[in-house]
Amino acid sequence: MVFSTLAQRLEELQPLPLGNLPTPLAPLPRLSEALGGPEIWVKRDDLTGLGLGGNKVRKLTFLLAEALRRQADVIMTTGAQQSNHARQTAAAAAMLGLPCVLVLRGTPPPQAEGNYLLDVLLDAEVRWAGDRSALKALYAEAEALRQEGRNPYVITYGGSSALGACGFVSAIAELTAQTRVLGLEFDAIVFASSSGGTQAGMAVGARALNLPTRIVGISIAEPAAAFTQDLQKLSNETTALLNLNLTLKSEDFEVCDAYLGQGYGIVTDVEREAIRLAARTEGLFVDPVYTGRALGGLMDLIKRGEFTPAQRVLFWHTGGAPALFAYARDLTG
Ligand SMILES: *Cc1c(COP(=O)(O)O)cnc(C)c1O
């Protein structure tokens, strides 16, 4: 399909101007040299701006447009205690003058740090799921607000609905416009993949625009087989929402689950080495939960010869650096 048709379908959803888009696309020559592999570039979605930025801003441009259309009077979502998605949602709600209720997993930490500190400063009302499933707790809290006569707009985990994924369909159109100007192509895009909206949106965008680039999601928490099914379902919901006559199959998704380590949010040498190398060679911060794991995975894939010096690889930086401040004990010493 042609570029302008896709752009028009996305525009019909009237995304809000919440962030600094397009984000910069830049080479990382010193990191590339240090790794002795492909030419590595970065897409700086850590610089989307709103509330210290990150990939969720792209999803929120579409989601909160719908919240306004539905005349919501409170925005609600869920996530881990150090959720970047929760923090960016709280920032977007603040910017629109709407209250925000966050239902976070588990119990409150002894001290507000990192993203959770920012949630508090953004004046989000934080409720704790305790031993309930976070998503179930979110729906229960939303229902309680409805009983009180409120009109909550409830955003699912990671903002990964079909509408949220449109943010990354749009991101692929944005990247295509940038690479066209620069006259270059990428052999692969590598990034942290977790609730799926980022990868599903990218896959739809790439298929719609016939982009031949490999899209390699480094899974943060899910084994590849189950996650691929989720991605396929979400992608096909997204093509339906955008009225695209496309069906994505499981082969359309490349998920690497070799770096799950000891689980979500547990820092190992993979993340520590990536965080240090990006900082030392490029003055670039990746985070302990997502982008550190994804860059660490890319570093390992390069070592294993998965990408060669003749290739050009885009590391899509999805944000998350505010969590660094909550992980000081795991990153020093
Ligand atoms: C949420 C998040 C991701 C994963 O994006 P999904 O769309 O949930 O797969 C990656 N990196 C960071 C920093 C995030 O906050």
Side-chain angles (χ1 to χ4, degrees):
M1 115 183 279
V2 292
F3 189 86
S4 56
T5 316
L6 183 65
Q8 193 191 334
R9 297 274 166 82
L10 290 162
E11 208 44 50
E12 281 163 14
L13 297 167
Q14 299 181 304
L16 299 173
L18 295 175
N20 292 330
L21 301 177
T23 56
L25 175 66
L28 296 174
R30 285 178 39 80
L31 178 70
S32 304
E33 196 192 326
L35 294 174
E39 181 182 317
I40 302 173
W41 286 59
V42 64
K43 180 71 171 148
R44 297 292 305 271
D45 273 14
D46 55 324
L47 301 182
T48 53
L50 178 70
L52 295 185
N55 65 336
K56 304 310 182 305
V57 171
R58 291 190 186 272
K59 302 175 182 181
L60 290 163
T61 62
F62 287 89
L63 293 166
L64 290 189
E66 182 178 67
L68 295 187
R69 284 195 291 276
R70 291 190 186 169
Q71 302 187 314
D73 56 15
V74 54
I75 305 298
M76 301 184 74
T77 197
T78 184
Q81 184 228 105
Q82 281 301 320
S83 169
N84 300 298
H85 165 66
R87 181 248 312 159
Q88 289 164 82
T89 301
M95 190 182 172
L96 296 173
L98 289 167
C100 180
V101 174
L102 301 175
V103 179
L104 300 184
R105 208 186 290 151
T107 52
Q111 203 187 339
E113 292 178 309
N115 280 303
Y116 172 50
L117 169 64
L118 301 179
D119 298 340
V120 173
L121 298 179
L122 289 161
D123 203 25
E125 185 190 328
V126 178
R127 302 182 183 181
W128 296 92
D131 10 339
R132 297 176 291 175
S133 112
L135 207 52
K136 277 190 188 146
L138 172 70
Y139 294 139
E141 299 282 347
E143 190 48 39
L145 285 179
R146 277 186 210 103
Q147 296 297 327
E148 290 170 22
R150 306 280 295 276
N151 181 21
Y153 183 78
V154 182
I155 299 175
T156 191
Y157 193 64
S160 287
S161 61
L163 187 59
C166 289
F168 272 88
V169 179
S170 165
I172 289 294
E174 177 184 302
L175 175 70
T176 307
Q178 287 176 315
T179 53
R180 195 180 292 157
V181 169
L182 291 167
L184 55 81
E185 279 179 4
F186 292 103
D187 296 289
I189 301 173
V190 178
F191 58 98
S193 195
S194 180
S195 68
T198 300
Q199 187 160 0
M202 283 186 186
V204 170
R207 263 295 288 284
L209 297 174
N210 292 315
L211 195 71
T213 307
R214 278 173 69 186
I215 295 176
V216 184
I218 305 291
S219 182
I220 298 304
E222 283 283 310
F227 189 41
T228 300
Q229 286 190 352
D230 297 345
L231 288 170
Q232 191 188 353
K233 179 166 177 284
L234 182 55
S235 293
N236 287 323
E237 287 165 8
T238 308
T239 57
L241 176 69
L242 288 168
N243 275 316
L244 304 175
N245 196 11
L246 293 173
T247 304
L248 284 90
K249 304 199 178 73
S250 58
E251 307 89 84
D252 291 313
F253 304 94
E254 211 178 322
V255 173
C256 173
D257 63 2
Y259 307 102
L260 301 178
Q262 290 153 46
Y264 178 85
I266 299 175
V267 173
T268 67
D269 285 343
V270 169
E271 294 81 23
R272 269 190 286 269
E273 281 170 22
I275 291 168
R276 293 217 174 104
L277 189 67
R280 285 175 193 176
T281 58
E282 297 284 355
L284 178 73
F285 287 118
V286 293
D287 81 278
V289 180
Y290 296 94
T291 48
R293 184 162 288 185
L295 182 60
L298 173 58
M299 286 161 53
D300 186 62
L301 290 171
I302 290 170
K303 244 183 246 159
R304 290 165 186 275
E306 182 72 26
F307 301 109
T308 65
Q311 291 185 309
R312 188 181 286 128
V313 173
L314 178 61
F315 177 67
W316 199 300
H317 193 323
T318 46
L324 282 170
F325 303 105
Y327 276 82
R329 280 170 298 276
D330 293 302
L331 300 174
T332 50

